Amino acid sequence: MTSLRAELFKFSHQKSALAGILILILLMIYSVLTTKVDSTQVIFEFGAVQWIPIIMIAVGSTFFAMEYQNRTILILLYKNTKRWQIYWVKLMIVWLYSLILTLIATLLTIVLKLLLVRTPWSTLIGNHQTLLTLLTGNVIGTVIYALFIVTLSFMLTMLIKINVAVIGIGLALGFLGAGISVALMGAFTSLIPVLRWNPLNMIFITQQLANPAYATVSHLSSFEIIGGNLSYATIFIILGYGLFKKRRI
């Protein structure tokens, strides 16, 4: 708890944390101003489902990288010899930040929906699910995928050690990951049973839990894609912590 309070204080005073919130709000408002506002926009939280993972990559990698840049990692290791606590607490703080971003996006979505979209929450859409049910599925998918992204960003920070490169990979993943996964499975159809478990395919969770029809694109059921995200998050935690233990200060 001492480590958690210290890291929470440190994170709350980091400019990138506040910047991430402001950027998310501005991008959602930009989406309202530049695209047709309808129930689909509400379901996908006016683009928040796309921007939250990218913000998480940037904020998460910066939060850990700054310890090495400022050499404050020496103080952390001196005060706490249990490296797993340092790694786990930072991971927890950044994931909790993703919950805050998701909550803000959801509340803003509700406000914008009440102001701009007349479709009732109980309206049946797509696969005979209500607007509220589809939005809820999207929120759950965003929270689970955020854990995948946070653990990935920490592992990449330990592996690559260059924060700009980590953020670049995050941007590529956000904009190109799903397309690359679909292209791979389209090119090697006989290997779909194996390729459908590739990490790039996990991005579909944010769409699939809101629209089950995406299962035909990901070739994974909703249960399988949830399990895949959690499994990869566990693998990234183990690999990231292993790299953190061996990283030279």
Side-chain angles (χ1 to χ4, degrees):
M1 291 303 297
T2 301
S3 297
L4 187 61
R5 284 194 294 268
E7 293 298 330
L8 186 59
F9 176 83
K10 192 185 303 180
F11 185 79
S12 64
H13 287 77
Q14 190 173 333
K15 292 181 180 180
S16 61
L18 178 58
I21 294 174
L22 295 176
I23 289 171
L24 176 63
I25 293 173
L26 290 174
L27 288 171
M28 290 179 68
I29 293 174
Y30 176 78
S31 179
V32 171
L33 298 176
T34 58
T35 59
K36 180 183 178 181
V37 178
D38 54 19
S39 56
T40 300
Q41 283 279 64
V42 174
I43 293 170
F44 293 105
E45 297 186 292
F46 298 94
V49 64
Q50 178 184 15
W51 296 112
I52 288 178
I54 294 173
I55 293 171
M56 292 308 304
I57 281 277
V59 174
S61 61
T62 300
F63 185 46
F64 218 139
M66 72 176 187
E67 299 286 6
Y68 289 92
Q69 292 170 359
N70 299 327
R71 306 295 291 173
T72 50
I73 189 67
L74 292 170
I75 299 174
L76 279 179
L77 294 174
Y78 176 76
K79 290 183 176 180
N80 192 344
T81 56
K82 297 179 180 179
R83 290 200 174 199
W84 68 267
Q85 281 191 4
I86 297 172
Y87 194 85
W88 182 254
V89 167
K90 283 187 175 292
L91 191 68
M92 188 183 304
I93 291 292
V94 178
W95 186 64
L96 289 174
Y97 175 70
S98 75
L99 298 184
I100 293 173
L101 287 180
T102 304
L103 178 61
I104 291 172
T106 303
L107 293 176
L108 183 55
T109 296
I110 292 172
V111 172
L112 292 173
K113 188 271 176 192
L114 293 175
L115 294 175
L116 304 172
V117 181
R118 300 301 179 187
T119 306
W121 289 110
S122 57
T123 300
L124 294 177
I125 298 174
N127 294 309
H128 307 293
Q129 298 186 73
T130 66
L131 179 61
L132 181 60
T133 301
L134 294 173
L135 174 62
T136 302
N138 177 62
V139 171
I140 295 172
T142 302
V143 169
I144 296 173
Y145 187 61
L147 181 61
F148 173 97
I149 284 294
V150 171
T151 55
L152 174 63
S153 70
F154 273 42
M155 184 194 73
L156 290 175
T157 300
M158 295 299 109
L159 180 65
I160 301 175
K161 303 176 185 179
I162 302 175
N163 196 37
V164 175
V166 174
I167 294 174
I169 292 173
L171 290 171
L173 180 66
F175 289 107
L176 304 175
I180 293 173
S181 180
V182 171
L184 280 173
M185 290 188 287
F188 304 99
T189 54
S190 61
L191 296 178
I192 285 178
V194 176
L195 291 176
R196 65 185 183 144
W197 295 105
N198 79 82
L200 296 178
N201 209 33
M202 298 302 115
I203 194 174
F204 282 111
I205 190 174
T206 54
Q207 293 105 328
Q208 189 165 320
L209 294 190
N211 185 358
Y214 270 91
T216 59
V217 180
S218 69
H219 298 281
L220 294 169
S221 67
S222 294
F223 178 77
E224 287 173 333
I225 203 166
I226 289 173
N229 272 270
L230 296 179
S231 297
Y232 271 113
T234 302
I235 293 171
F236 293 153
I237 289 173
I238 295 171
L239 293 177
Y241 174 62
L243 292 167
F244 174 59
K245 280 202 306 181
K246 296 179 181 179
R247 181 169 177 174
R248 295 180 63 182
I249 301 172

